[in-house]
Amino acid sequence: MAIDPVLDGDWWRTAVIYQVYVRSFADGSGDGTGDLAGVRSRLPYLAQLGVDALWFNPWYPSPLADGGYDVEDYRAIHPMFGSLAEAEALIGEARALGIRTIIDVVPNHISHQHPWFREALAAGPGSPERERFWFHDGRGAHGETMPTDWVSSFQGPTWTRVTEPDGTPGQWYLHLFTPEQPDLNWNHPDVRTEHEGVLRFWFDRGVAGVRIDSAALPIKDPALPQLPLDPGPGEHPHVDRDEIHGIYRSWRAVADSYEEPRVLVGEVWLEDSARFARYLRSDEMHTAFNFALMTQPWDAVAMKASITRTLAEHAPVGAPATWVLSNHDVTRPVTRYGREDTGFAFERKRFGTPSDLDLGTRRARAAALLTAALPGSLYVYQGDELGLPEVELPLDAIEDPMHFRSGGVDPGRDGCRVPLPWTKDGVSHGFGDGDARPWLPQPRGWGNLAVSEQADRPDSMLTLYRAALARRRTDPDLRIGRLQWVDAGDDVIAFRRGDRLVSLTNLGSEPVALPDHHGIVLASNPLEHGELPSDCTVWLDVEPGAHSA
């Protein structure tokens, strides 16, 4: 008999986790910026939506050079979001509603305003303070050339030269992201001790788990070699080094030391399936983000292959897969699925790319039901449950460093971070109660997608999400039933969950006939003459044991 993972305590195996980008969720102070007071005021909405946990993007003090991923102090809350006391209250209030809290940690780097880095700059070359980072002399007769030619995740160089305390040009420091995010040296015991202390600090306050940003990056080859043309497994100088697993084993020991064990969720981008699975061994992370499906084009063969591969990657270590359609970095599904190129890659983002939003919305509805039917945990990025499109912002409103470091070619990631609409009218469509304009401008017609406009409409995206998550929570087939593929043609993704539920998604151009069934559980759009129309998902109640491939 299958074990119910929720009753067994492994809530994270089937959880629906809602991503909160605090700055854009709800403004409780009326200053135009989202905050913890705003989140607390909307907890009933999240409970009604049916989520099991909230994942918060960094809420710590930060200069915001990279949206808060440049952390200045891990044991405090950014003043624009509130206070530590408010965070503690939020954690407790959410848990009283059955909602756990997951927070971000960023082990690869900290802010250039962090006390450690300021101490390192002041201390000078060869000092113990600099050993916590990757300070290195430059190449060339006068040290004028960067130590390596590694390329930043945000494009551009990965080294910045400092001016020494005596005013002379000095050493270089490594930053795989922006210069405001100096990389930490994880060979140093201070770095390891500090991060374990940060975990305990938040776990002691009731946080149920941490999401580990850029989890494959912290360890570097101390020889600082140039990047090989085709590095083999474990040979990349700063990605997926073998030594990294010692970090996460120690973190898992901290997480498991609590009466209710805490959860580790990794952001792991790796093509090698076997290397990916190593992060999910029983003494390391509990789950890892699955980005593969999110980047696939609207194509049945490609999407089914991605699902199959994801399940196969997780099977050897017994870890649950995770499913996500978007996040705070990625073009929203409604816009992405309405474009000619329906996949996603950062390097392809450009201004002025047209999108058929009606088509994109139809497909986003179908994708929402498809992912909600898959086994494992489900992530929902705030606003996707409202069907919000990507916003192309005016140039003077963009803050994202990806835009500026691309020379203005890439529109950046702010288009998926526009503050949520809660009401149809008002200066900020209910994002805040005052007259302040939101920190990113909301486009014309944003209020038509507001929570107030969708809550009571039976055909709205919000209603669809609520129905899907409610069924997922109560239906044992969706909670713990194993997946069996069903043959329904090349253009259809079809599978059985458990004994009685079959999910079919038609990605083709023609309607398809439904298999024998007892009734329709849920459909992303109305059926047409009893057939499944194009760009639609349906869940069917079927006879036990029928239709397996």
Side-chain angles (χ1 to χ4, degrees):
M1 179 179 177
I3 297 174
D4 186 316
V6 177
L7 295 179
D8 194 48
D10 293 341
W11 61 272
W12 43 274
R13 287 187 169 273
T14 61
V16 175
I17 302 168
Y18 186 92
Q19 181 185 352
V20 179
Y21 193 81
V22 178
R23 201 176 179 190
S24 298
F25 184 72
D27 171 18
S29 66
D31 64 357
T33 298
D35 48 37
L36 300 188
V39 178
R40 292 172 68 189
S41 72
R42 300 296 184 179
L43 286 175
Y45 165 81
L46 295 167
Q48 186 178 11
L49 182 60
V51 303
D52 302 298
L54 305 178
W55 157 38
F56 287 88
N57 291 106
W59 54 12
Y60 316 105
S62 166
L64 300 177
D66 181 25
Y69 283 88
D70 46 324
V71 178
E72 187 175 340
D73 182 357
Y74 269 112
R75 293 174 174 83
I77 297 295
H78 197 300
M80 75 176 180
F81 297 147
S83 65
L84 182 58
E86 283 184 289
E88 293 171 337
L90 191 162
I91 294 165
E93 291 163 2
R95 188 58 189 267
L97 292 172
I99 301 173
R100 290 173 167 88
T101 298
I102 296 172
I103 61 171
D104 256 336
V105 293
V106 191
N108 182 69
H109 51 261
I110 54 177
S111 168
H112 70 308
Q113 293 298 321
H114 191 285
W116 277 9
F117 192 68
R118 288 191 275 116
E119 291 167 4
L121 290 178
S127 63
E129 290 84 354
R130 288 202 175 182
E131 292 177 358
R132 295 167 172 161
F133 302 91
W134 290 99
F135 278 88
H136 203 277
D137 294 335
R139 294 176 288 167
H142 304 289
E144 69 277 8
T145 304
M146 292 186 298
T148 73
D149 296 325
W150 298 351
V151 178
S152 168
S153 297
F154 286 166
Q155 305 179 44
T158 56
W159 295 89
T160 292
R161 197 174 194 184
V162 304
T163 300
E164 299 298 353
D166 63 2
T168 61
Q171 290 187 305
W172 299 74
Y173 68 89
L174 177 67
H175 51 85
L176 293 183
F177 293 86
T178 70
E180 294 82 7
Q181 296 166 284
D183 281 34
L184 290 164
N185 177 9
W186 275 86
N187 297 322
H188 198 293
D190 286 358
V191 175
R192 295 177 182 252
T193 300
E194 169 65 6
H195 279 76
E196 290 181 16
V198 167
L199 295 182
R200 291 189 179 94
F201 178 87
W202 287 106
F203 291 164
D204 289 346
R205 282 158 178 79
V207 164
V210 295
R211 178 263 193 187
I212 306 163
D213 182 74
S214 301
L217 300 185
I219 295 292
K220 280 80 177 175
D221 185 340
L224 298 179
Q226 298 300 326
L227 182 65
L229 290 177
D230 186 21
E235 294 179 355
H236 196 290
H238 62 78
V239 177
D240 186 38
R241 305 285 301 170
D242 288 338
E243 303 93 325
I244 203 165
H245 298 283
I247 298 174
Y248 301 128
R249 289 191 182 97
S250 69
W251 286 22
R252 181 62 177 261
V254 173
D256 285 349
S257 69
Y258 286 79
E259 183 177 356
E260 180 184 291
R262 300 333 194 212
V263 176
L264 306 181
V265 181
E267 182 195 27
V268 184
W269 293 76
L270 291 176
E271 289 295 324
D272 188 314
S273 297
R275 302 285 296 187
F276 172 83
R278 286 157 55 105
Y279 290 81
L280 297 174
R281 290 175 290 194
S282 61
D283 61 347
E284 293 191 44
M285 300 179 190
H286 297 77
T287 66
F289 273 24
N290 165 34
F291 296 105
L293 184 62
M294 179 175 67
T295 63
Q296 297 304 312
W298 189 252
D299 175 83
V301 174
M303 293 183 81
K304 182 176 179 180
S306 177
I307 295 168
T308 301
R309 177 183 175 183
T310 296
L311 294 174
E313 285 176 337
H314 288 75
V317 287
T322 63
W323 309 102
V324 56
L325 292 176
S326 73
N327 59 36
H328 63 293
D329 291 333
V330 174
T331 303
R332 285 194 182 270
V334 164
T335 298
R336 192 169 77 239
Y337 289 143
R339 290 176 170 170
E340 183 177 355
D341 178 0
T342 53
F344 177 81
F346 285 109
E347 62 270 17
R348 296 201 301 268
K349 292 187 71 173
R350 293 294 183 269
F351 286 99
T353 305
S355 178
D356 180 341
L357 294 184
D358 289 337
L359 175 62
T361 298
R362 184 179 179 87
R363 288 174 170 173
R365 291 173 64 91
L369 278 197
L370 168 63
T371 52
L374 292 170
S377 58
L378 175 67
Y379 282 78
V380 177
Y381 176 49
Q382 66 179 40
D384 280 357
E385 80 278 14
L386 302 177
L388 299 183
E390 188 84 357
V391 179
E392 189 155 296
L393 294 162
L395 292 178
D396 61 0
I398 296 175
E399 297 190 6
D400 183 25
M402 288 192 83
H403 165 70
F404 300 103
R405 290 173 70 86
S406 74
V409 172
D410 186 337
R413 299 163 295 175
D414 289 336
C416 63
R417 302 173 180 180
V418 174
L420 300 191
W422 293 91
T423 60
K424 183 172 184 178
D425 301 316
V427 172
S428 63
H429 300 294
F431 172 67
D433 293 333
D435 294 330
R437 298 282 178 183
W439 72 280
L440 286 177
Q442 298 163 314
R444 187 185 304 273
W446 206 236
N448 294 325
L449 297 170
V451 172
S452 64
E453 299 303 293
Q454 296 197 41
D456 297 323
R457 272 183 32 218
D459 62 343
S460 74
M461 185 76 84
L462 178 57
T463 298
L464 178 70
Y465 265 85
R466 284 175 172 172
L469 300 190
R471 183 74 186 206
R472 180 185 165 99
R473 177 175 292 224
T474 58
D475 189 327
D477 285 341
L478 285 173
R479 286 159 65 88
I480 57 175
R482 72 187 187 96
L483 181 145
Q484 296 174 278
W485 292 109
V486 173
D487 185 5
D490 293 340
D491 292 327
V492 179
I493 299 175
F495 52 87
R496 169 190 287 276
R497 288 296 308 283
D499 291 331
R500 301 192 61 94
L501 189 134
V502 166
S503 173
L504 298 98
T505 304
N506 181 7
L507 292 88
S509 58
E510 299 295 329
V512 297
L514 298 178
D516 293 338
H517 60 278
H518 295 299
I520 295 170
V521 176
L522 196 57
S524 62
N525 280 96
L527 303 187
E528 297 175 359
H529 310 294
E531 294 184 315
L532 182 64
S534 179
D535 303 319
C536 184
T537 295
V538 66
W539 294 352
L540 301 176
D541 178 16
V542 300
E543 190 70 26
H547 308 297
S548 296

